[in-house]
Amino acid sequence: MTAPRTFFDKLWDTHVVRDLGDGWALLHIDRHILHDLSGPPALRQVAGRGLPLHDAGLVFATPDHAVSTLPGRDGNTFALGGKLLGALREGTSRAGVRMFELGEPGHGIVHVVGPELGIVLPGLTVICGDSHTCTNGGLGALAFGVGTSESAHALATQTLRLRKPKRMRIRCDGLLAPGVTSKDLMLHIIGRFGASSGVGYAIEFAGDAVSALDVEGRLTLCNMAVELGARFGFVAPDEKTIAWIRGRAYAPTGALFEHAATYWRTLRGDDGARFDLELQVDASAVPPMITWGTSPEHAVPVTGTAPSPAAVDDPSVAQALTDALDYMGLAPGAPMSGIPVDWVFIGSCANSRLSDLRDAAAVVKGRHVADGVTAWVVPGSELVKREAEAEGLRDVFEAAGFSWREPGCSMCVAANGEQLAPGQRSVSTSNRNFVGRQGPGARTHLASPAMAAAAAVTGCITDVRSLM
């Protein structure tokens, strides 16, 4: 009798082309997505060896990291981005890869457009030269980031050599309270277990709180699995997943869709399947969260305070806390609520989908951005932008004093000329608050879209529940 298998084991096993021994396997890759930073060098490597792509029809591209999001932008608005865009156009045209151009449906951040177009589907292996490819696990895909050489290998062979990771399950029991989102839940998890707790694991998120999330909330949850140190994060597909995928541009249609849905319903772990590590979280007790420092694990309740290094016994840990506080310009024990902010950024592959913009607009409506605060909304894709405009969300944000931008990565990565000045403080819906992430000397506090909106209209870090 076959031993019970986890969801991850099932996906892994169905993609093994060859068992290479010692935990290594050659896996088939179902979908490959390229962007403007990592795509051109991978395509050049393949072309430089005189190799064709194994199957160009399984590869898609979109420029996102280095393109300007300035309203009315074109490909050359940011000069360096224009060069990278040109290289992506040239490489994809030569290789026969579908690239989504600026302004057309399908353009946007790679981890937003893959799911929304139905390019990513449950049960598929999906790669991209970007660490946040794990986002796509929210649809029940085995999705992970790769380096340039790995990307080139997959382009030429449709396979990758990987060592199988250990399996972890994080059960989130109970339901999230009003004003608390999947972003808060994930910041709580990272803050509690640490940024290296997932190293060497593939993480399955489960439990009542995860089941209750909509698909876009699950994408946010899986987006930050890499901030736990994991390469894979995923949620088993269910009826919500199937309903969300139906009608997507690249999804199956008609009888093929129903056949696929029948298969997707089998994609879950067996009763009694064993994990190498199981963690539990009481989701009902999670409050709105905010980061205070220079790692996503520096997360505390918005009603909490920055840490006091003097209270830590380990000298190296105490020094790291001191360095983070100094960089952020915060005193030990400083209350988080009330800290003044200069910028608010709502966007990134973590939180730029339609539901995220709706959450922020619900807080913003009838209010105005505080004096001295610059606030941006950057939709994650051209489709998100158009849908939000059709719903009147753009009008809500612009009436409140926000700048409504074009799709792209924007201030999340600051590789596009869009960044904070040294010493400026932002509340950002992105996924990383590393030193210099939003510009040299920039100070970033990670939060949910609703929390970011609350900071924009009050001028300081604010518990969004006080505005509800």
Side-chain angles (χ1 to χ4, degrees):
M1 185 175 179
T2 304
R5 293 184 299 163
T6 67
F7 173 48
F8 176 81
D9 288 324
K10 291 183 178 183
L11 291 191
W12 181 276
D13 293 347
T14 58
H15 286 86
V16 172
V17 176
R18 181 177 298 174
D19 188 335
L20 302 176
D22 195 28
W24 290 86
L26 189 69
L27 291 190
H28 182 268
I29 302 303
D30 297 314
R31 298 288 188 274
H32 195 157
I33 307 177
L34 307 173
H35 61 68
D36 47 348
L37 292 191
S38 61
L43 289 165
R44 280 197 299 269
Q45 279 196 24
V46 177
R49 297 179 63 182
L51 299 172
L53 268 59
H54 186 275
D55 190 341
L58 300 179
V59 185
F60 301 84
T62 181
D64 59 358
H65 278 59
V67 296
S68 169
T69 67
L70 184 72
R73 57 97 189 268
D74 62 27
N76 294 309
T77 299
F78 179 61
L80 176 58
K83 293 179 181 179
L84 293 168
L85 173 57
L88 186 64
R89 283 173 175 156
E90 178 186 0
T92 54
S93 176
R94 181 179 60 244
V97 169
R98 174 69 163 98
M99 189 190 100
F100 298 99
E101 281 282 358
L102 302 182
E104 74 165 310
H107 173 257
I109 304 173
V110 280
H111 314 309
V112 176
V113 300
E116 77 176 10
L117 292 179
I119 292 170
V120 177
L121 299 169
L124 300 186
T125 49
V126 180
I127 65 169
C128 176
D130 188 282
S131 61
H132 290 104
T133 306
C134 51
T135 306
N136 300 284
L139 285 180
L142 191 62
F144 55 101
V146 296
T148 299
S149 60
E150 290 177 304
S151 182
H153 186 279
L155 287 170
T157 70
Q158 215 63 44
T159 65
L160 274 182
R161 180 177 178 268
L162 290 177
R163 182 188 284 274
K164 189 175 185 179
K166 295 184 287 186
R167 274 72 78 203
M168 178 194 298
R169 179 166 62 185
I170 301 179
R171 291 196 58 86
C172 303
D173 298 314
L175 299 178
L176 297 174
V180 181
T181 70
S182 61
K183 181 65 164 290
D184 299 298
L185 176 59
M186 197 56 186
L187 287 174
H188 171 83
I189 290 170
I190 301 169
R192 177 177 169 184
F193 298 115
S196 62
S197 59
V199 173
Y201 289 94
I203 300 176
E204 179 174 351
F205 297 97
D208 292 341
V210 176
S211 297
L213 291 175
D214 60 21
V215 168
E216 297 188 353
R218 297 173 189 181
L219 293 168
T220 296
L221 197 67
C222 292
N223 173 272
M224 297 186 70
V226 70
E227 312 309 338
L228 285 166
R231 201 174 184 184
F232 308 86
F234 46 89
V235 176
D238 58 12
E239 294 303 319
K240 286 183 181 179
T241 316
I242 293 169
W244 194 85
I245 293 170
R246 189 184 296 274
R248 302 281 168 181
Y250 284 84
T253 59
L256 282 177
F257 183 89
E258 301 309 327
H259 181 72
T262 298
Y263 169 64
W264 296 337
R265 292 184 179 99
T266 70
L267 295 178
R268 55 186 60 255
D270 297 328
D271 292 340
R274 302 196 59 177
F275 293 81
D276 297 289
L277 179 63
E278 291 208 56
L279 303 175
Q280 288 190 308
V281 172
D282 180 3
S284 66
V286 174
M289 301 290 291
I290 193 81
T291 58
W292 62 266
T294 54
S295 166
E297 74 177 7
H298 294 159
V300 294
V302 66
T303 54
T305 61
S308 296
V312 177
D313 293 332
D314 186 326
S316 62
V317 174
Q319 186 59 54
L321 295 178
T322 298
D323 292 345
L325 287 167
D326 288 346
Y327 180 83
M328 293 297 291
L330 298 177
M336 299 307 300
S337 183
I339 295 174
V341 302
D342 304 294
W343 275 83
V344 166
F345 169 66
I346 298 173
S348 89
C349 60
N351 284 121
S352 63
R353 297 171 184 85
L354 188 60
S355 58
D356 298 314
L357 304 191
R358 287 171 177 160
D359 285 351
V363 176
V364 166
K365 191 170 185 178
R367 298 184 169 99
H368 199 276
V369 172
D371 291 343
V373 175
T374 301
W376 284 10
V377 178
V378 184
S381 72
E382 182 66 27
L383 284 174
V384 170
K385 176 190 169 189
R386 294 184 186 191
E387 290 171 352
E389 289 176 344
E391 287 189 14
L393 301 185
R394 175 179 182 170
D395 296 335
V396 171
F397 285 116
E398 290 188 332
F402 281 76
S403 175
W404 181 257
R405 312 281 292 189
E406 299 289 347
C409 292
S410 189
M411 293 185 71
C412 170
V413 68
N416 36 47
E418 298 170 8
Q419 60 188 43
L420 303 178
Q424 285 190 318
R425 188 180 304 278
S426 79
V427 172
S428 174
T429 67
S430 50
N431 39 40
R432 287 181 173 160
N433 54 337
F434 301 159
V435 169
R437 174 74 176 185
Q438 292 192 299
R443 295 165 171 168
T444 302
H445 299 272
L446 303 179
S448 72
M451 282 283 290
V457 299
T458 62
C460 61
I461 293 174
T462 299
D463 187 340
V464 67
R465 293 172 297 186
S466 68
L467 301 182
M468 293 173 62

